[in-house]
Amino acid sequence: MRQGEISLAGLLALFSLYLMWKSTELPIGYIRGQGPGGGFWPFWLSVGMLLSCVAIAWNWWRGKTPASVSDEPLMDSFGWRTVLHVGGGVTAFVALISVVSMYGAVALFFVYYLRFLGRHSWALTLAIAIILPIGLFFFFEGAMQISMPQGLPFTQPFFDVMYDIIY
């Protein structure tokens, strides 16, 4: 467990540095009259992730977390099954983006994650799976004016209605 904690922190720190470097291909600051540059969010979120990795490594070095002083294996069979269920869901989410749009994939992922993995009620699951993607649509397409993938043509009626509301 001890080795797993520091290894993952190191791996995520390297990934953070890569994302920071890659996001500087676009402006990472605020552009007067336009808003945040295209690399703003990826860069600063990666900075936050890097700082979190540094904090994890610091606590690991000081032996302040249970994992940092444990000699137990990283994961048992339940842990590996959980990783497969969540990883499979994320893989399906990414694969579905080009089919049912980013917002449709988010909705389906929430149904899978909340109802089938989390065993929450259908009322809560459907409320979140409907309200959150619509909120994300208005945030990205309306407020930020960033278009997300729209999937195959059968999703177009949804976008037509939503764009009519925005414009």
Side-chain angles (χ1 to χ4, degrees):
M1 183 103 39
R2 177 175 166 75
Q3 190 63 37
E5 182 179 38
I6 196 63
S7 298
L8 187 57
L11 184 66
L12 289 174
L14 289 174
F15 186 56
S16 300
L17 290 169
Y18 168 75
L19 290 174
M20 290 167 60
W21 169 73
K22 192 69 176 161
S23 63
T24 59
E25 292 177 359
L26 300 170
I28 62 170
Y30 191 83
I31 301 170
R32 184 181 297 245
Q34 292 182 351
F40 180 88
W41 292 110
F43 180 83
W44 292 107
L45 288 172
S46 297
V47 168
M49 189 166 80
L50 179 61
L51 292 174
S52 296
C53 292
V54 169
I56 290 168
W58 175 252
N59 284 331
W60 176 87
W61 183 72
R62 294 179 8 189
K64 295 293 183 182
T65 63
S68 67
V69 294
S70 174
D71 290 328
E72 294 180 26
L74 179 61
M75 286 195 290
D76 58 6
S77 63
F78 175 77
W80 285 111
R81 275 194 314 274
T82 302
V83 167
L84 289 174
H85 286 137
V86 174
V90 170
T91 302
F93 163 74
V94 171
L96 285 170
I97 290 172
S98 63
V99 178
V100 296
S101 80
M102 175 66 81
Y103 308 107
V106 167
L108 291 172
F109 180 76
F110 275 121
V111 168
Y112 167 73
Y113 202 87
L114 291 171
R115 180 65 187 153
F116 299 105
L117 291 185
R119 303 203 196 308
H120 292 282
S121 70
W122 275 111
L124 176 69
T125 299
L126 292 177
I128 291 175
I130 292 169
I131 293 169
L132 190 63
I134 290 173
L136 289 172
F137 176 87
F138 286 119
F139 176 73
F140 284 108
E141 308 280 337
M144 299 293 291
Q145 296 183 348
I146 298 172
S147 293
M148 293 291 154
Q150 293 188 2
L152 296 177
F154 70 86
T155 63
Q156 195 57 44
F158 166 79
F159 288 99
D160 291 342
V161 169
M162 298 304 280
Y163 283 126
D164 285 345
I165 293 171
I166 292 176
Y167 303 112

